[in-house]
Amino acid sequence: QVQLVESGGDLVQPGGSLRLSCAASGLTLDHYGIGWFRQAPGKEREGVSCISSSDGSTYYADSVKGRFTISRDNAKNTVYLQMNSLKPEDTAVYYCAADLSSRWTTVQTMCVIGRTRYYGMEYWGNGTLVTVSS
């Protein structure tokens, strides 16, 4: 019944910007932490950025810190990932995922451990492709 649908992925030149959206249905974001994860070809899935519903705490991977911003609009049941100063290394399929915030001690833990598809975050979208290339 829960559905997460990502959108906004596109082909963009290095230095460009994109905003990804994750529309949630079947759940209320008020009680769920949301994370953005990505997987590049030949690489393991990694946590990019996560936000907690309990206290609004956020986490960013070192590789995107200062360039990406995660936000949520509970009224719209939507989470966003604003990506600026994009680099070719950012090329990947981006997934949004949701889990009850109460199951994780910190938002960092949720983002680092939650990358596992079946043992991490409970609900996952199907992903949206971001390609950064000239």
Side-chain angles (χ1 to χ4, degrees):
Q1 188 173 5
V2 174
Q3 187 176 41
L4 302 174
V5 181
E6 304 95 334
S7 63
D10 205 347
L11 171 64
V12 63
Q13 294 184 338
S17 299
L18 285 174
R19 189 181 74 163
L20 305 183
S21 299
C22 176
S25 61
L27 62 81
T28 302
L29 289 183
D30 302 65
H31 302 296
Y32 285 81
I34 303 294
W36 284 98
F37 301 80
R38 69 184 182 186
Q39 187 166 24
K43 302 294 184 180
E44 294 183 353
R45 183 175 295 174
E46 64 173 332
V48 178
S49 181
C50 297
I51 185 169
S52 172
S53 65
S54 59
D55 58 4
S57 299
T58 58
Y59 167 84
Y60 297 93
D62 290 340
S63 59
V64 306
K65 193 173 300 181
R67 299 188 297 119
F68 291 10
T69 302
I70 189 171
S71 62
R72 64 193 301 159
D73 187 336
N74 289 349
K76 296 181 179 180
N77 255 22
T78 301
V79 177
Y80 306 95
L81 183 67
Q82 179 66 47
M83 306 185 296
N84 299 325
S85 302
L86 284 165
K87 305 175 181 180
E89 304 92 278
D90 296 318
T91 296
V93 176
Y94 285 71
Y95 303 87
C96 67
D99 205 351
L100 289 170
S101 294
S102 60
R103 295 181 178 179
W104 303 93
T105 57
T106 66
V107 66
Q108 178 177 355
T109 300
M110 180 179 71
C111 218
V112 173
I113 301 178
R115 66 183 181 86
T116 302
R117 174 64 178 84
Y118 295 104
Y119 299 100
M121 306 292 281
E122 181 69 20
Y123 306 108
W124 291 80
N126 290 323
T128 185
L129 177 62
V130 172
T131 302
V132 184
S133 177
S134 59

